[in-house]
Structures are given as structure tokens and as C-alpha cells.
Amino acid sequence: MNQHLRPEPVPFIDLAAQRRRLGKSVDEAVSRVIGHCQFINGPEVTKLEAELAAFSGAAHVVTCASGTDALLMVLMAKGVGRGDAVFCPSFTFCATGEAVALTGATPLFVDVDEATFNIDAASLKRGIATARKLGLKPVAVIPVDLFGQSADHDAIAAIAAEAGLFVLDDAAQAFGASYKGRRLGTFGVATATSFFPAKPLGCFGDGGAIFTDDAELAATLRSIRVHGQGSDKYDNVRLGLTGRLDTLQAAILIEKLKIFEDEIAARNEVAERYAQGLGNVVTVPRLASGCTSVWAQYTIRLPGGCDRDGFAAALKAQGIPTAIYYPKSMHQQTAYRDFPVADAGLPASESLSADVISLPMHAYLDEPTQGRIIKAVRGALST
């Protein structure tokens, strides 16, 4: 009789397990905010910014309402606008290009490296040439540290310096990762991240932050996030946003940051078990030399000819969820397909969009459950 029971579902990201580990600490943090009633720019916001700066090594941290706002605020502070070209990898979440388009500038999409999923230096060079040919002014590049792994920041910085670009690092999925011994948050003119609940360090709603060593830029960002206010809130000196991080979310993040290092270590253990169990049947993610990852996603590539939908359905039938990041690269999406792409096209982005799929990944994925996932993946590929 029991053979017909559906298997117990596996969480794709287990926020409930983290919640149990944190116990009453989050409830108490929230209660303190409710008690003092400073819901906007309360003391927890200042405390969180200081702790994030200490964690990352950045001189200044400006928290904000979302990862998208983090990107947009930096572009606004740098005066990016019409006629400017900003280079973005196409294989990423839409917010990277969206923030550029919202300023009136042109996102110009470049390709990624198929092994690391991150921006391809050769395609970036071609993209800069394409922008100039189109009469656009190249001003910035937004490398994305995709799925938790840092982009090649040395290569990007060298190209940017030669072309006169500033670098805005999009670490929305990778806060906590490092490149050649330096944590993300210390590369380029600024780094943007997201605290969306599903991120490795996530709050209980939307949230984000900007990291920079530039004191003047940090001051401008603090103005922009409150409607562009100057010394007086009724003297707005520039266009701005309502871009603040709620005090409640800051209080929650302070508690989560206390266990973040341990969770990163656990995520790396999970990634290693996947690599050992699946490396001979699918293409598993590869860490570039000198990089660490926080494994925001564990994204594999299926063998050629494999029916991705059928594969996902086979796992779902066994209670194992999957996700596809991203079934369409940005240049293939309706809102962005009329923006330019680097000469020679974006074949790697298109190939990845056709065959990647992500497996459950979080710090609380125990070995027996992961063994069940690995067995199901291997079984689905052998049928």
C-alpha cells in the first residue's frame, strides 16, 4: 500500500530550517524595533551597515530597499544617462539591465564564459567596440558574480581602465564570496548586493546594500536613497528615490549575519557532495582559480539531447524541485531584445539558457536528503 505514497517533498531553499536554528533571536530583534518604533532609519540600520563594512572590508556601506535600487542608485550617483552605454552580461537576472535602462542609458549585452557563467572578457572588448560604432559613449561595466561565484575582476578592471569605464559590481547573488583573497564589496567603484529572502544572506522581504571605498559617493548615495535630500529634508538637491532599508529588515539581517560564515561553509560542503555525486553524468559548476562561492544556486548543465522539461518532471515526481535560471537570456526577452549586443553575438548565453537547471541548495541540506537528490538525478538521466 505504501508504495503509492508520494515522496516527502524536498525544499529548494529551506528558510524554515534556518528559522529554527536562529530560534528566538529574530523574534527578539523584531520586538526591539517594535518597542522603540524607529521603523525608518532606526539604530539597527546604522549597526548593520557597520557590521557589513567590517565583514566585507569596504570603507562605507549604504543599505537600501532592494538589489535593484542598489544598482540604480549608483548609476544615478555617477550621472549615467542618455547616450551612455553600460555593458551587462546577458545571462543574468533582468535587474542588471533594467537599472541601466531606467536611467535612460543603453544596456549593451555581452556574452559570458560557459564554464563559470560570468562575463567574458573578450566579449566585453567587442561590446565596447560595438558601442562606439553605434555612436554611444562607453561609461561603465556591470559584471555579475553569478550563482555565488566572483567574476574575473582583474581582467574586467584592466579592460575598464583602458576604455575609461567605471566598474559597478553586481554581487546580488554572491555577497560573502571572495576573489583572490578579497571579499566582494571591495572591487570597482561600488558593489551592489541584494538581501531578497532566497539569497545566501536574505532578510524577510526586500533589501539591498551598496559597498564602496569612496566617501563622496557614499554621501551622494545616502542623499539619493531619501529623495535626494540635502542638509534639510525639504531641500532636495538632486533627484532621488524612496530607497531605504526598513529597520525591521536590518534587525533581522544583524541576527542572520552572525551565522553567515558557518552557512557559507555548509553550502560549500553541499556543493562538494554534488560535484562528487554528479560530476560524471552532468556538467557541474567549476570554480575559477582564486575564487570562492557562496553557492546561491547549484546550476548544472544537462547532456546534449536531454529533455530538460522531462528531466524536471521526473525529479518533481519524486518530490525534488528544480528551477531554471535563466530560460531566456536578457537579449532574448521582450523588454530588452531591441537593445544592442556585442559583435559576434552571444552564443554562450543562448546555449546556457537552453540546457541549465538548478538543484536544491541551502546550508541545511543534509547528506541523506542530498543523496536522494543525486540518486534521482542519475536515475532521470539513465531512462
Side-chain angles (χ1 to χ4, degrees):
M1 294 290 288
N2 289 339
Q3 64 183 343
H4 299 295
L5 294 176
R6 291 183 62 83
E8 185 73 19
V10 173
F12 190 74
I13 297 172
D14 198 345
L15 295 177
Q18 183 195 57
R19 183 82 174 90
R20 290 191 294 272
R21 176 182 178 180
L22 288 166
K24 294 181 179 180
S25 64
V26 169
D27 296 340
E28 291 168 354
V30 169
S31 293
R32 286 193 292 272
V33 177
I34 293 172
H36 65 56
C37 294
Q38 298 177 60
F39 300 117
I40 303 296
N41 287 339
E44 286 81 0
V45 174
T46 303
K47 181 180 180 183
L48 174 65
E49 290 178 344
E51 293 186 0
L52 290 171
F55 182 93
S56 66
H60 307 278
V61 175
V62 180
T63 55
C64 56
S66 70
T68 307
D69 276 0
L71 292 168
L72 179 58
M73 286 167 59
V74 175
L75 295 172
M76 292 172 68
K78 297 293 289 183
V80 174
R82 294 193 182 280
D84 294 337
V86 178
F87 305 96
C88 310
S90 185
F91 186 68
T92 187
F93 184 61
C94 70
T96 309
E98 178 183 43
V100 177
L102 286 171
T103 68
T106 299
L108 196 151
F109 297 114
V110 301
D111 214 356
V112 297
D113 174 73
E114 289 196 54
T116 66
F117 308 126
N118 283 325
I119 195 166
D120 177 71
S123 184
L124 174 58
K125 290 181 178 178
R126 291 194 297 271
I128 293 168
T130 301
R132 289 173 174 154
K133 188 165 60 177
L134 293 173
L136 296 168
K137 179 185 177 183
V139 298
V141 56
I142 308 179
V144 177
D145 308 305
L146 200 69
F147 299 150
Q149 177 179 190
S150 170
D152 187 349
H153 284 289
D154 283 350
I156 294 160
I159 295 167
E162 183 179 355
L165 312 177
F166 72 83
V167 178
L168 166 56
D169 185 24
D170 182 346
Q173 299 181 14
F175 181 68
S178 62
Y179 176 77
K180 297 186 177 179
R182 288 169 55 192
R183 279 207 167 116
L184 297 183
T186 60
F187 294 92
V189 68
T191 297
T193 199
S194 167
F195 299 128
F196 184 78
K199 296 293 191 286
L201 181 63
C203 55
F204 285 1
D206 278 315
I210 304 158
F211 303 76
T212 184
D213 289 336
D214 185 330
E216 185 177 348
L217 176 61
T220 301
L221 292 167
R222 293 185 190 283
S223 168
I224 287 172
R225 75 174 174 183
V226 190
H227 301 288
Q229 75 176 34
S231 58
D232 182 276
K233 70 177 182 178
Y234 294 116
D235 179 20
N236 297 294
V237 296
R238 56 177 58 86
L239 293 179
L241 307 170
T242 308
R244 300 166 297 221
L245 179 71
D246 291 341
T247 307
L248 283 167
Q249 301 299 352
I252 292 162
L253 286 166
I254 288 168
E255 298 307 312
K256 288 196 173 191
L257 190 59
K258 293 174 182 177
I259 63 169
F260 190 41
E261 290 268 26
D262 186 52
E263 288 186 331
I264 292 171
R267 285 173 174 271
N268 275 278
E269 291 175 5
V270 171
E272 180 59 28
R273 292 198 296 263
Y274 270 140
Q276 292 296 321
L278 297 175
N280 65 342
V281 291
V282 298
T283 302
V284 297
R286 179 181 69 81
L287 279 180
S289 177
C291 290
T292 67
S293 179
V294 292
W295 302 102
Q297 310 296 343
Y298 194 85
T299 301
I300 61 174
R301 299 189 70 182
L302 297 174
C306 180
D307 175 7
R308 183 167 62 179
D309 290 341
F311 173 85
L315 264 63
K316 184 178 181 180
Q318 297 185 59
I320 298 167
T322 57
I324 300 172
Y325 306 95
Y326 301 91
K328 288 185 178 181
S329 291
M330 285 197 68
H331 72 286
Q332 299 173 311
Q333 297 177 28
T334 303
Y336 301 97
R337 62 190 177 198
D338 292 331
F339 288 111
V341 303
D343 285 351
L346 311 180
S349 295
E350 292 172 7
S351 177
L352 289 168
S353 286
D355 64 20
V356 295
I357 193 164
S358 297
L359 303 175
M361 165 55 79
H362 53 83
Y364 303 94
L365 186 55
D366 59 61
E367 288 193 50
T369 304
Q370 191 173 9
R372 178 181 150 198
I373 296 167
I374 291 169
K375 181 179 179 181
V377 169
R378 298 183 71 92
L381 291 170
S382 65
T383 56

